[in-house]
Amino acid sequence: MSDAAPASPAVRRRRWPFVLAAVVVVLLAMAYWGSRPSRVATAVLSRVEAALGLEITVGGASEYRLRDRPTLVLREVEVRQPGAATPLLQAKRILLSLPWSTLRARGAERVVHRVELDGPRFDLAAYQAWKATRPTAPTRLPTLTDGLQVADGRILGGNWSIEHVDLDVPSFHPDRPVAAEVSGRYVSGRVAVPFAFRAALTRPSRGAGLGLVGGVEVQAGTWRLPMAAIASGRLHEGDDGLGLDRLRYAADARYVGGSVDEPFALGLAGRLRYRDGRLQLAPLGVGIGGTTLVPSLHAGGRLLLDDELAMALEGTLAQWPRAWPALPEPLGSSVSPLPFELQYRGAPDLSGGTALRLERDGTHFDAAFRLPAVLEWLESRTSGTPLPPLRGKLVAPRLEIAGAQLHGVEIEFEDEPVTESGR
């Protein structure tokens, strides 16, 4: 499985993070026509700033080459909204190669050979603050005949980031499908998600279809989830933020932790949004097809990620997993549905408190636990305590234990204190 992977969607015609950088550089070229390198800071940047309502500074030495193809190289570039404390874009190096016809057109033609960005750093919150001040009329995107390349980029989303972003777009036209390869590493707290995908976009505009196929791996301390995945959705940008509509995600996954290496199928569907430092999947549908340790289930709910991960799911277990402790009779042989409710709030690596409620044939079980402790117990329960590390209560009209029939049963489980989520 590649250590690399899905990046968050870029969005509307005028709203791709790194395409925004391309627009900035194209406008630089338009203004740069006929100038000398020493005049960039005055003649060039003032035009771009006026066109985009941004402040642009170039801290490093610039280059302007005319041989073969006119090429402009800018170093230590910083772009920010006037008065803002945080730049929306920084880059160690930006290269622009363009045809003579573009220079002669003085801005009327937006055709560029190639754009390269080294070490760009894009701040989503600063970008959204700037976009809120801009007119609603769409900005014209350039045509990139030889494409766009991003090396070692970084997208900042508040309490999470996408590091080491590499993007290769062989060619780009504002009215045609776009193909790309993208890789990176999502990081939030102690969770890391490297990914590597091939991407296809019907066209770079609002509501366009996006497709992704490749590899992604969730890494969280003592466990990981490598996945071969395929995803699709429609780009969205509006008052509720950036995101994807009609998100569909399907993966052949494996849970790997300790001595366990179990395959399972995972499917997600919903609506993805990012705004004001918060990622949200709501509504969210989840389907899991497991065998022994990983359960098979269908559920609906929501997931939020800001300072913490918050998740609420309600659904039905298809069957009681074989690797879990056997249920007492008559629950064990019952074929009745197993509805459940699960709530979690805590660290993104799922080490916080989880609340679970199960029902079957009039029996109710409410529990609070920490997932890492339960997983450790499941792996070693043959040599350890026969009771799972949780706190909870079981209420049943009837149970059979060791050949005895018990009626009106109430059993309480007490383990180390666990903070319940959402209750």
Side-chain angles (χ1 to χ4, degrees):
M1 181 65 58
S2 171
D3 257 8
S8 293
V11 52
R12 198 170 180 175
R13 168 176 299 221
R14 60 187 185 284
R15 301 173 182 180
W16 272 22
F18 296 122
V19 172
L20 170 66
V23 173
V24 171
V25 178
V26 171
L27 290 174
L28 281 171
M30 300 304 100
Y32 201 81
W33 152 249
S35 301
R36 297 180 180 179
S38 61
R39 299 170 59 188
V40 170
T42 55
V44 178
L45 297 184
S46 61
R47 291 193 183 184
V48 180
E49 290 171 340
L52 296 179
L54 294 168
E55 292 179 351
I56 304 172
T57 59
V58 179
S62 300
E63 300 176 21
Y64 185 49
R65 300 191 298 269
L66 298 178
R67 183 177 300 176
D68 299 325
R69 293 179 173 180
T71 301
L72 174 66
V73 178
L74 304 175
R75 292 184 172 84
E76 304 302 329
V77 180
E78 185 173 282
V79 181
R80 72 174 69 223
Q81 184 179 359
T86 303
L88 65 87
L89 175 68
Q90 295 172 294
K92 294 180 180 179
R93 171 182 170 271
I94 299 178
L95 177 145
L96 173 73
S97 175
L98 64 164
W100 282 104
S101 59
T102 297
L103 289 177
R104 288 192 294 267
R106 301 190 179 214
E109 181 178 314
R110 301 197 180 207
V111 177
V112 177
H113 286 309
R114 184 169 178 81
V115 175
E116 297 178 2
L117 292 91
D118 292 345
R121 176 186 171 108
F122 186 82
D123 190 288
L124 278 173
Y127 167 75
Q128 288 184 316
W130 169 71
K131 282 304 302 177
T133 68
R134 302 300 297 161
T136 57
T139 299
R140 292 170 54 201
L141 292 177
T143 295
L144 310 178
T145 60
D146 293 343
L148 167 69
Q149 184 177 69
V150 175
D152 196 24
R154 188 180 186 198
I155 300 175
L156 303 178
N159 295 301
W160 58 268
S161 63
I162 302 177
E163 314 281 349
H164 308 301
V165 177
D166 290 334
L167 175 66
D168 184 19
V169 183
S171 63
F172 181 92
H173 192 286
D175 297 314
R176 297 177 187 171
V178 179
E181 293 187 359
V182 59
S183 63
R185 186 170 181 265
Y186 171 92
V187 178
S188 178
R190 294 188 294 270
V191 173
V193 186
F195 61 87
F197 278 86
R198 297 191 304 275
L201 190 66
T202 55
R203 58 179 295 179
S205 64
R206 181 181 182 181
L210 173 68
L212 298 166
V213 60
V216 57
E217 180 172 303
V218 180
Q219 301 171 346
T222 60
W223 59 271
R224 58 191 181 92
L225 293 178
M227 293 177 274
I230 183 170
S232 64
R234 291 195 174 275
L235 301 183
H236 172 89
E237 183 172 10
D239 294 339
D240 57 346
L242 306 171
L244 280 176
D245 291 327
R246 305 180 196 174
L247 170 65
R248 300 291 184 271
Y249 178 88
D252 291 325
R254 297 190 347 262
Y255 170 81
V256 182
S259 60
V260 177
D261 188 341
E262 180 174 338
F264 66 97
L266 172 65
L268 302 174
R271 182 177 60 196
L272 176 67
R273 292 290 185 270
Y274 169 81
R275 183 175 175 83
D276 298 330
R278 168 183 284 192
L279 274 174
Q280 175 174 288
L281 266 170
L284 169 64
V286 179
I288 297 177
T291 54
T292 56
L293 178 63
V294 179
S296 292
L297 61 85
H298 293 280
R302 59 190 296 137
L303 182 150
L304 302 175
L305 178 61
D306 43 31
D307 294 336
E308 294 182 314
L309 172 65
M311 179 170 54
L313 294 176
E314 183 173 345
T316 303
L317 292 173
Q319 59 189 9
W320 191 254
R322 296 195 303 269
W324 293 11
L327 293 173
E329 293 298 336
L331 297 175
S333 58
S334 173
V335 295
S336 299
L338 261 170
F340 74 91
E341 296 177 21
L342 182 143
Q343 297 188 29
Y344 174 85
R345 177 176 288 277
D349 62 358
L350 301 179
S351 61
T354 300
L356 174 66
R357 180 178 177 85
L358 289 168
E359 297 182 25
R360 172 176 270 181
D361 298 337
T363 297
H364 302 271
F365 178 57
D366 290 275
F369 61 89
R370 297 188 187 278
L371 182 61
V374 172
L375 292 173
E376 183 179 357
W377 175 81
L378 285 170
E379 290 185 42
S380 61
R381 70 181 186 277
T382 56
S383 59
T385 173
L387 297 177
L390 54 80
R391 179 166 57 85
K393 185 176 182 179
L394 174 70
V395 178
R398 181 173 68 91
L399 289 181
E400 296 179 12
I401 300 178
Q405 289 196 10
L406 306 178
H407 296 268
V409 179
E410 290 190 12
I411 301 175
E412 292 191 2
F413 296 83
E414 290 290 345
D415 196 75
E416 59 178 316
V418 178
T419 300
E420 295 189 15
S421 299
R423 290 214 218 276

